[in-house]
Amino acid sequence: MPVARTGARVSEELRSRGVRLTAQRRLVVDLLERATRHLDAEAVYRLAHHKDPSIHRATVYRTLNTLKKHGLVDELDLMHVRGTRHYYEVRPSVLHIHLICTACGKVQEPAGRFWEGLKRRVRSQTGFRPEVVRLEMGGVCVDCQDRPPRPPGVRP
Amino acid sequence: MPVARTGARVSEELRSRGVRLTAQRRLVVDLLERATRHLDAEAVYRLAHHKDPSIHRATVYRTLNTLKKHGLVDELDLMHVRGTRHYYEVRPSVLHIHLICTACGKVQEPAGRFWEGLKRRVRSQTGFRPEVVRLEMGGVCVDCQDRPPRPPGVRP
DNA sequence: CTAACTGCAAACCTTTTGCATTGAC
DNA sequence: GTCAATGCAAAAGGTTTGCAGTTAG
């Protein structure tokens, strides 16, 4: 979702791992690659269903799980600021973190070498071999720090 | 759950915020403070119900939400290694991270100054004011790196 | 005394699963 | 042709909610 992504990377990765490339999977992968915001399973389903009304919710869930299992997408929950659902993003080549504003719901994704270093640090300090990293922080974004606190309930 | 915790801290904090200190809340807080492993809502309920059979699941959920809202407990999902549920821990004074082994399910919690620095770094680099930090990594713990990969399904 | 909290039961929402059928390789 | 993947419908979690009765402050 954040940095630009090389088009067919995911599909090729799947193919090379012997996962069958069905029309439905292609569609889901395509949607995730083009997404400009974080999509939960239902959102993926709605978008997919719009393009191919025959696709079933269960297929979307199964596909997301497949992609996750193969490390091609990461699952987030954005600190549950928007509820219990899970969000998905194609795993980027450079690690980034998620800052979720509890006031306006905005999600920022600063990327950088520093976060990359976390993995190495854990490995050398504990021996643990990290494969998936999830760093999320809830708090107040710059804009909302200026804004007077708005009454809870109404959110953009 | 990780570092030792000052007994009445949470209760006092609640009291000072004008949240009514009912027997049920005291019980839940007490259980969380004494916990030696990560508890999900159902586990909290079972333990609570054992001590006070009249307590209701809904009350446990409501209490956990109250505590979370006031920043007294943190919610984790431990990378969903054990399913979709959420785990709760009393917010420790010193930030720690969670390393979840995808092979054996073990959770490690290295604490330290370094992780504390993440908050400051985000703040100074982006202006975002972090309140809750969640850093979880899925991967393989030292023990399981030596062990031959065991057939999936059977877990300790 | 009164607003806040609880127990209860039902609803809700998200995700998973068994089965017959379809389709990728 | 074969085995994996899909659509479908039903179930399984996990969590929330409206309401009437209870209780902390």
Side-chain angles (χ1 to χ4, degrees), chain A residues 44-133:
Chain A
V44 174
Y45 168 67
R46 277 198 306 267
L47 290 171
H49 189 263
H50 179 75
K51 275 221 163 184
D52 169 8
S54 77
I55 199 174
H56 197 274
R57 224 182 234 92
T59 302
V60 171
Y61 277 98
R62 282 190 278 233
T63 300
L64 291 173
N65 280 337
T66 302
L67 295 172
K68 182 169 54 152
K69 187 171 69 190
H70 287 281
L72 295 169
V73 310
D74 287 323
E75 191 180 49
L76 315 168
D77 59 23
L78 304 181
M79 300 306 275
H80 304 149
V81 167
R82 303 267 199 180
T84 303
R85 55 203 118 188
H86 301 127
Y87 299 86
Y88 299 87
E89 64 178 21
V90 179
R91 182 175 300 181
S93 46
V94 48
L95 191 68
H96 65 282
I97 72 175
H98 293 94
L99 309 178
I100 305 97
C101 178
T102 47
C104 70
K106 186 171 54 196
V107 180
Q108 289 173 262
E109 303 187 327
R113 308 214 128 289
F114 183 75
W115 316 125
E116 275 292 341
L118 294 175
K119 264 156 92 171
R120 250 173 294 122
R121 184 158 199 114
V122 162
R123 174 111 200 225
S124 66
Q125 228 172 40
T126 68
F128 185 92
R129 194 171 65 217
E131 274 152 15
V132 200
V133 179

Side-chain angles (χ1 to χ4, degrees), chain B residues 82-133:
Chain B
R82 303 267 199 179
T84 302
R85 56 202 118 191
H86 300 126
Y87 299 87
Y88 299 88
E89 63 179 21
V90 178
R91 183 175 299 180
S93 47
V94 47
L95 191 70
H96 64 281
I97 71 175
H98 293 93
L99 309 178
I100 305 96
C101 178
T102 47
C104 71
K106 186 171 55 195
V107 180
Q108 290 171 261
E109 304 187 326
R113 307 215 128 290
F114 184 75
W115 315 126
E116 274 294 341
L118 293 175
K119 264 156 92 171
R120 249 174 292 122
R121 183 159 200 115
V122 162
R123 175 109 199 228
S124 66
Q125 226 173 43
T126 67
F128 185 91
R129 194 171 65 216
E131 274 151 16
V132 200
V133 178

